[in-house]
Amino acid sequence: MIYKKGINEFRKIFILLIMIMLFVALKAQEKYTLSGTIKDAETGEDLIGATVSVVENLGTGAVTNVYGFYSLTLPKGEYTLRYSFIGYNKVNKKLLLNEDKKIDLELTPSGQTLQMLVVLAEKENDNITKNEMSTIKIDPKDIESIPVLFGEKDIIKVVQLTPGVKSAGEGNSGFFVRGGAADQNLILLDEAPVYNASHLLGFFSVFNSDVIKDLTLYKGGIPTKYGGRASSVMDIKLNDGNSKKLSASGGIGLISSRFTLEAPIVKNKGSFVISGRRTYADLFLKLAKNKELRNNSLYFYDLTAKANYKIGEKDRIFLSGYLGRDKFVFGKTFSFDWGNKTGTLRWNHIYNQKLFSNTSLIFSDYSYKIKITEGSQKLVLSSLIRDFNLKQDFTYYKNDRSTLEFGGNIIYHKFLPGSLSGEELNTLKINNKYALESALYLQHYYDVSSRFSLNYGLRYSNFNYLGPSTKQVFSSKGNLISETKFSKWKSIQQYHGLEPRANVKYQLGENNSIKASYNRNYQYIHLLSNSTSSQPNDIWVPSSNNIKPIIADQVAMGYFQNFAKNIYNTSIEVYYKNLQNQLDYKDGANLFLNNTVENQLVFGKGYAYGAEFMVKKVLGDFTGWIGYTYSRTFRKIPEINKGYPYPAKQDRIHDVSIVGMYKLSQRMKLAATWVLYTGSAVTFPSGKYNVNGQNIALYTERNGYRMPNYHRLDLGLTWDRKNIKEQINPETGEKERVSRKIQSSWNFSVYNAYARQNAYSISFRQSNTNPNITEAVQTTLFRIIPSIAYNFKF
Amino acid sequence: MKNTIILLAFSLLAFSCEKVIHVDLNEANPRYVMEGNIIAGNTSIQLKISKTTSYFNPTSPELVNNAMVTISDGTNITPVASIGNGIYLVTNYSPQIGKTYVVKVDVEGNTFEANAVIPDSVSILTTELIDAGEVRFTFNDPLNANNYYRIKQFVNTYAENNNSGGFILDDFGLDGTQVEEFVFFGSYDVDQPINTINSGDTLYLELQHINLETYTFLSTLETVTDGGGEFGVATPANPTQNWSNNGLGYLGGGSKSIRILVVP
C-alpha cells in the first residue's frame, strides 16, 4: 500500500515537472542563444564558473557549468561580450547576435595568480552578486603554501579553516558542518559518494589534491540536485587531464610521494590523467633491527584516473575512477585493510543550445577486512557497502535571467554489515541489507531584477528498504519480538518526502547584499560509530522499520560587504537548524557484529544554531582571512541524560581560524595559520563504586564536561626554484624570458609551531605509584612536527 | 580491539605523549550500590551494599550495614541479615529453577527492588585437562532460545557467592550446537603465560546459565570498562542495571553446573 502511495506521489511530481517545462518553453520569445565552452588555453581543462558578461548591460551574463559549458539567450542585437575567469586574462569579443551562435573560447592564465588569494576562487565581487550563500569554494592550486600535518597537502584540512566547518579532532580529516554529525556530509568525487573519506585512521583525507580541479562545500542553501545527507554537500571535481600536451607532476614528501601523468588521447578531443600516491613509513620498518617490528606495516595508497573524449560537437564521454586502500599488518597474526573504490561514467549531450544534459552511471564501494591468525585458527571479518547509481541531469538555459535544472536518479544500495568466518567456526553473518533510493528534482534560478534574485526548487526523495532480508521488531524494552523474512525486491519499509529549498539575494548597493536561504534535507542511511573520529570499521545501515530517516531543516541569513574596491570581503551568516530522528546509542551499546544492532540505538531530536563571521583580504602581497564561529549543537533524546538536552560531541562554542599568506619575493611565500577552539563536550565520571570486584566510574550527565581549549600555530614556507630563465631568441636576437621545462618548488612546514600540548584524549587510570589513587591522564598526539616536501612539474 | 589498532598505529608513528593533569570533577550525591546473585545450586544468598564515592577519593567505597533486606520467592518473604562489611546473608536457602525472586532493600528512607528469574541449568558435558592450567570443556546449548552463560574458575577453594571474575558468553551463532570453550586457571598473561598451577591442585569449573538481565549488566559493564580506556572511544556510560529507584549494581540470576578436576 505504502509503496503504491509512493509511486503515485512520484507520478504527480513528474507530471508537475513536465508542466513546468512546457510552461517555460511556451513563454520563450524571439531571442537568440549564444553557447559554447570555455577552456584553459595551456592545458585544455574546462573552466568551471568562468563568466560571460554583456558589457553593454552589466549584470547580464552566464556562468560555465562543471563541464565548461555556457548558454546565454539575448534579444537580437550587437553586443560586447567579456569572457573572464579569475587568474586568467580577460577576452572581449564583439558579436552581432542575429542567429543562434556557438563560441568556444580558450583563456590564457594571467600568471598573476600569486598576487591573488583565490582560496575562495571567485570574481572580485561575486560574493556580493551571486545568489549563493553558505558555500565554500576552493581551488587546490592556491592552497599549496598553507601548512598541514606532515606536509601532506590536503584540501579538506583547508576547508576546516573556514567558518562553520570543524575538524573531527587533532589532525583529523573528518569534519562537522554547522552542528551536523560527520556522517551527515555527502562527499562526492566526480559524483560518486565516498563513504569513508579518510586514510590512516583519519589523519589524511583520501583525496589526492594534485588531481582535484574544484571543491565546493555547501553548508546551507543546498541545490536540489544534491540529496541524501542532512548537513552538507562537498562536491569534488577531478581534473580532466591536459588535452594539449603530455605533462607530469609530482611531489616527494616526508611520509608519501605522489606522481601524476596527463596527456591528450587525441589532441583537443580527449585526454586522460592518472595519479598515484603511496606512504612509505612501512618501508622504514623493514630496516628495523627488531624482527617483530619488521613484520609490521601500516601504509596507504590511492590511484585516481580519469579520461574524457569528445565524440562530436554535441557529445562527450567521461570516465573517472578512484581506488584507495589502507593496510595495517601486525606480525603474522593480524592484518586489517580497508578502502574505497569509486567509478563514474558520464555522457554529456547538448540537445540544443539551450538544453544541456548529463547522464551518469556511478559506482561506489567501501569495504574492510580483518584477518586474525592464531595457530591453526584463522578468522576473517569483513564488511562492505556498495552503491550503483543512475543519474540524469538537465540544464535548461531559458534566457539571460532564468535557468532551470531538473533531473532524477536512482541508487541501489547493498549493505553487508559484517560477517565472521573461520575454519572451526560456523560462519557468523549479520543479515545483508538492500535499499533503493530515488529522487526527482527541479530548481529554478531566476534573476528578478539586477538587484533581486531568487532560486528555489523542490526535491522528492523516496527510500525503499528491500529484501532479501529480515524485518526485526523490538519491544519497547528493546527485546526482539519477531523476525519476518522478506524475499528479493519485496519492500520491508518505505519512506519518502519532499525537500523544498530556496535562496534569495537582494543587492543593497555595489558593495553589499543580503541573502537568505531555507532548505530541508532527508537522510536515509546512517553511520554507526562509537568513536568521535571516523574509524575504518564503522558501519553504514539503511533506514528501516526501526530507524527513521533524519530530516534536517535549516534557515540561514547573511550580510555581505566588500571594502576598498573588493580587496576586503566580509560576511556575517547566522543559521538555525532543526534535526528530526537523530540517532544516538544506548548506554554501553554494542555496535560491533551485532545482529540486532537496531535495538542498540535511541532516537530523538537535535538543534543547532550559530553565527559565522569572516573577514578576508583577497588582493596584495599579504592575503588571508580571519574567521570566527559561535555555534551550539544539542541533542534531546528521552533515554539519554534523563531526556534533557545535552551538547553533541561536536558542540564547540567558539572557533577562530586565522590564515595569513605573505609573498616575500617572487619566489618565496610565507604562510601561517592559527586555530583556537573550545574543547569538545565529553563525559567524565562524577563518582566511582565497586561492583564485580572492579572499581567502576559513575557517570551522571552525558557530555557534561569540556576538553581543554585547543590552539595551534602552523607555519609554512614555499620556495619556488627559478622557474624562468633568460635566453636569446635565435630569430630576433633579443633577450627574452622563458619558462624552464621543469618547474619545481620546496615546501617547508612546521605543524604546531609553539609545541602546545593539546589534549587528544583524557582518560583515567590507577596511579602506578599508589593503586588507590585514580589520576587523569592527557594524551597529546603531535607536539611539534616539522616537514619538508619537494614538488615538481614538467 | 579498536583500541589496540589505534594504539599500535600510534606507537608506530611514535609522536604521542602523555601527562598527568588535574581535572575538576563534579561531586555526585552518594548513591547505593547493591550486588548479588541468586543461583540455583547454591545454598545461600549473599548481597553486598555499598555507596559511591567521589572519583578521585583514594579510600575504598563506604560499606552500608544498616539496610533492611528481604528476599521473596513469590510465597515466602525471608529476611537477609547484615553480617558486617556491607554483606547481607541468608543461609540454608536454595533457589529453585523457574522461580522469580524479588529482593527488596530499605535503607535510610530509600527503597530498592529487583527481581531475578532462574533459568534451567545447562550441564557441562565433557572436560579435558589439556595443559596444567588449561581446560577444554563442552556443553549443549538449548535450541531456539537466546542463552547466556557465565564461566568461572577457582583453584583449590570454591566460593559459591564470589561475584568477581569469570567471563560471559552468549549463543549468538551457536544456537542449539555443542559449544566448546577453553578456560585458563591461575594467572595468565597474554604476552607471557605464567602457569601457577601445580600437581595436586583442585580446579573448580563452574558454568552458570544466566538470565538476560545478568548478561546485559555484565556485558555492558565490559564495554563500559573497555571503552573508557586509552583513546576513550565508546561514549562512557553506566552499565545497564536492574534495580528500581536508580540503584546501582545488579541482582543476577542463574543456575550452575560444576566440574572438579585434580591436576595429576
Side-chain angles (χ1 to χ4, degrees), chain A residues 201 203 428 530 537 587 595 685-688 692 696 699 702 705 760-761 764-765 772 774 776 778 780-781, chain B residues 2 9-10 15-19 21 26 28 35 52-53 55-58 150 163 172 230-231 233 236 238:
Chain A
L201 310 158
F203 293 105
L428 222 164
N530 49 11
N537 56 347
D587 286 347
N595 209 12
S686 297
K688 69 174 171 186
N692 202 34
I696 63 171
Y699 297 100
R702 178 75 71 102
Y705 293 88
Y760 180 71
S761 73
F764 299 92
R765 67 172 184 210
N772 285 327
T774 308
Q778 174 187 307
T780 300
L781 280 190
Chain B
K2 192 146 67 181
F10 286 115
F15 286 110
S16 69
C17 77
E18 282 185 348
K19 68 173 178 185
I21 56 161
N26 297 336
E35 181 184 18
T52 60
T53 58
Y55 192 72
F56 290 120
N57 187 348
R150 183 180 197 180
N163 284 327
F172 178 53
E230 200 72 357
F231 285 90
V233 275
N238 300 318

Side-chain angles (χ1 to χ4, degrees), chain B residues 3-19:
Chain B
N3 286 350
T4 324
I5 298 165
I6 296 170
L7 252 169
L8 286 167
F10 286 115
S11 49
L12 282 174
L13 290 170
F15 286 110
S16 69
C17 77
E18 282 185 348
K19 68 173 178 185

Side-chain angles (χ1 to χ4, degrees), chain A residues 174-234:
Chain A
F175 59 96
F176 304 120
V177 176
R178 289 187 171 173
D183 71 326
Q184 294 176 2
N185 305 318
L186 177 66
I187 301 174
L188 298 172
L189 183 69
D190 262 1
E191 298 187 28
V194 176
Y195 280 101
N196 190 326
S198 52
H199 275 309
L200 216 75
L201 310 158
F203 293 105
F204 306 99
S205 80
V206 299
F207 307 111
N208 177 350
S209 298
D210 283 357
V211 278
I212 294 175
K213 177 190 277 194
D214 176 85
L215 179 149
T216 308
L217 176 75
Y218 299 93
K219 298 182 283 183
I222 301 170
T224 55
K225 65 181 169 198
Y226 301 108
R229 297 295 184 282
S231 279
S232 80
V233 176
M234 181 183 270

